[in-house]
């Protein structure tokens, strides 16, 4: 696919959806597509489905039009997923994907095997938002659309820091800037800013973190009862794993929190030497070389032991390669 217009011919109704626990790239890409369609294809009736996006994304236009639940039977002419790496990660409107006449997947996960009819997946690109920008007419990207795309790019590149950031990423960011996006505010308020409680929780996780494998691996964790004590949920724990990764000497950072008793959400980050997507895929998850995740069952110690054993195995393989 070269341009999104290719899949919009004869389309009258369209659904757009992202992955569970949507991050900035997911919200940004879904909303950018939604705003673009609303603006330039007014004859298409589009709906956007996202699993309760965080309030930090309220600077994106029409965020209040998001549907957080499926509502009745629908047969969309077209259903597009953005930033979704596999069918089981699709949130909220999964049934509409099945009943749609045509399905399109726009993504950038190397673990994506292509689960739609049309798959536009570019594993080398830093964000789904960047992939999506490539499908738009550049002159049609107005400030509203640009704000959504810029948000996603900022979030998935760690403010243009991760190695996935390319000269093309920066060129596009420059084009978006020309539309007048409030880039300082987007970066500060949606990416860096934390609440007092979030900072307290991060401090606690860092203080209790453990170093393993001669300091090559660091593990942080949060139990359900402690999350309840602080009154935080998974959405409040963003950024903790990135901070763990910034520990000198660490090659892989692991952060896990208890979603429900004996069920953990695991986040993995690498400094580039170890491919953490391989580890995540091994445990039924997915992601990218430097940022990946999975969901695991068992006691906290089992989860930590299983993950770190696999990391150790990968490190040994790495040495051999
Ligand atoms: P996170 O640690 O949740 O920020 O996720 C890092 C990356 O891994 C993101 O690109 C996610 O899409 C991906 N990821 C996280 N959890 C899973 C999972 N359970 N299955 C597949 N991919 C995941
Ligand atoms: Mn994502
Ligand atoms: Mn992404």
């Amino acid at each position: 696919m070269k341009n999104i217009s290719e899949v919009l011919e004869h389309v009258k109704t369209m659904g757009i959806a992202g992955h569970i626990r949507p991050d900035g790239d997911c919200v940004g890409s879904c909303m950018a597509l939604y705003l673009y369609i609303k603006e330039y294809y007014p004859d298409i009736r589009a709906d956007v489905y996202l699993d309760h996006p965080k309030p930090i994304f309220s600077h994106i236009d029409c965020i209040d039009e998001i549907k957080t639940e499926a509502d009745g039977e629908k047969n969309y002419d077209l259903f597009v997923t953005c930033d979704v790496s596999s069918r089981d990660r699709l949130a909220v409107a999964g049934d509409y994907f099945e009943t749609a006449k045509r399905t399109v997947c726009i993504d950038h996960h190397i673990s994506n095997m292509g689960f739609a009819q049309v798959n536009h997946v570019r594993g080398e690109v830093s964000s789904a938002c960047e992939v999506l920008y490539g499908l738009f007419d550049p002159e049609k990207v107005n400030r509203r659309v640009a704000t959504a795309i810029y948000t996603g790019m900022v979030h998935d590149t760690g403010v243009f820091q991760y190695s996935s950031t390319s000269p093309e990423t920066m060129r596009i960011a420059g084009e978006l800037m020309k539309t007048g996006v409030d880039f300082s505010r987007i970066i500060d308020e949606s990416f860096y800013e934390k609440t007092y409680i979030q900072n307290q929780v991060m401090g606690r996780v860092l203080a209790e973190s453990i170093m393993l494998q001669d300091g090559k691996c660091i593990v942080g964790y949060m139990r359900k009862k402690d999350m309840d004590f602080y009154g935080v949920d998974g959405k409040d724990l963003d950024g903790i794993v990135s901070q763990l990764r910034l520990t000198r000497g660490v090659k892989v950072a692991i952060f896990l929190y208890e979603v429900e008793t004996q069920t953990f959400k695991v986040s993995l980050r690498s400094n580039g030497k170890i491919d953490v997507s391989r580890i995540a895929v091994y445990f039924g998850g997915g992601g990218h070389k430097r940022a990946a995740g999975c969901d695991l069952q068992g006691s906290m110690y089992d989860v930590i032991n299983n993950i770190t054993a696999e990391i150790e195995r990968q490190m040994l393989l790495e040495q051999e390669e």
Side-chain angles (χ1 to χ4, degrees):
M1 184 165 38
K2 288 254 183 318
N3 193 289
I4 196 74
S5 60
E6 291 169 33
V7 292
L8 297 176
E9 256 177 64
H10 311 302
V11 169
K12 292 202 170 57
T13 59
M14 172 180 182
I16 301 166
H19 60 73
I20 50 167
R21 294 189 289 258
D23 51 23
D25 187 31
C26 182
V27 176
S29 53
C30 288
M31 288 309 293
L33 180 56
Y34 179 67
L35 292 169
Y36 189 89
I37 298 291
K38 265 180 79 120
E39 185 92 28
Y40 301 108
Y41 296 86
D43 296 337
I44 297 179
R45 234 185 39 244
D47 292 320
V48 59
Y49 296 89
L50 282 165
D51 177 17
H52 297 92
K54 295 179 229 180
I56 52 169
F57 301 122
S58 55
H59 62 282
I60 297 174
D61 243 53
C62 299
I63 200 94
D64 53 333
E65 292 176 21
I66 287 171
K67 293 176 187 285
T68 54
E69 277 168 29
D71 47 0
E73 210 170 289
K74 276 177 191 165
N75 297 88
Y76 286 108
D77 293 335
L78 176 69
F79 199 88
V80 183
T81 69
C82 296
D83 198 39
V84 180
S85 57
S86 59
R87 171 66 186 83
D88 61 322
R89 298 262 301 155
L90 182 57
V92 190
D95 289 348
Y96 298 155
F97 180 87
E98 302 307 330
T99 55
K101 298 191 183 98
R102 196 150 189 232
T103 56
V104 173
C105 162
I106 297 169
D107 188 35
H108 71 124
H109 290 87
I110 35 171
S111 57
N112 192 326
M113 307 298 280
F115 57 91
Q117 286 160 357
V118 178
N119 296 286
H120 187 75
V121 181
R122 295 186 55 201
E124 75 289 357
V125 174
S126 64
S127 62
C129 279
E130 188 179 327
V131 176
L132 188 64
Y133 180 88
L135 294 172
F136 287 168
D137 293 332
E139 66 277 7
K140 286 188 179 155
V141 176
N142 57 21
R143 188 171 188 258
R144 286 146 39 98
V145 175
T147 296
I149 297 178
Y150 194 86
T151 302
M153 290 174 77
V154 160
H155 278 253
D156 258 24
T157 59
V159 194
F160 308 107
Q161 182 218 353
Y162 304 151
S163 60
S164 54
T165 309
S166 68
E168 180 65 1
T169 313
M170 301 314 284
R171 185 191 69 79
I172 295 170
E175 291 300 322
L176 300 175
M177 216 179 242
K178 286 183 199 162
T179 70
V181 296
D182 194 348
F183 54 92
S184 299
R185 186 167 159 230
I186 295 172
I187 293 172
D188 241 9
E189 293 180 13
S190 82
F191 191 83
Y192 286 117
E193 200 174 272
K194 299 277 176 250
T195 63
Y196 180 61
I197 294 288
Q198 284 174 323
N199 275 333
Q200 279 194 312
V201 169
M202 180 176 320
R204 175 167 169 163
V205 174
L206 298 180
E208 292 185 346
S209 65
I210 37 183
M211 291 280 249
L212 298 168
Q213 301 172 13
D214 292 331
K216 291 197 192 70
C217 196
I218 190 166
V219 184
Y221 53 87
M222 193 88 206
R223 286 196 181 85
K224 184 90 181 66
K225 67 170 170 46
D226 296 321
M227 291 172 66
D228 292 344
F229 172 80
Y230 288 105
V232 294
D233 62 21
K235 286 182 190 160
D236 295 307
L237 307 176
D238 274 4
I240 295 183
V241 69
S242 307
Q243 189 58 44
L244 286 167
R245 189 191 64 86
L246 289 170
T247 313
R248 187 167 295 163
V250 160
K251 291 191 168 158
V252 179
I254 305 162
F255 174 63
L256 52 140
Y257 69 86
E258 206 169 8
V259 189
E260 53 193 81
T261 312
Q262 302 253 320
T263 302
F264 291 86
K265 159 90 184 79
V266 181
S267 288
L268 301 163
R269 296 292 183 274
S270 155
N271 69 349
K273 296 247 165 33
I274 301 289
D275 180 352
V276 286
S277 80
R278 277 206 230 170
I279 296 159
V281 167
Y282 179 83
F283 289 106
H288 315 275
K289 192 172 176 213
R290 288 172 184 246
C294 54
D295 300 285
L296 286 181
Q297 308 249 323
S299 78
M300 201 175 77
Y301 295 102
D302 285 344
V303 170
I304 294 176
N305 283 338
N306 290 340
I307 293 266
T308 52
E310 183 56 21
I311 290 172
E312 188 139 34
R313 208 172 65 85
Q314 293 276 343
M315 286 200 189
L316 289 172
L317 284 175
E318 200 79 22
Q319 278 168 10
E320 282 166 19
E321 270 168 17

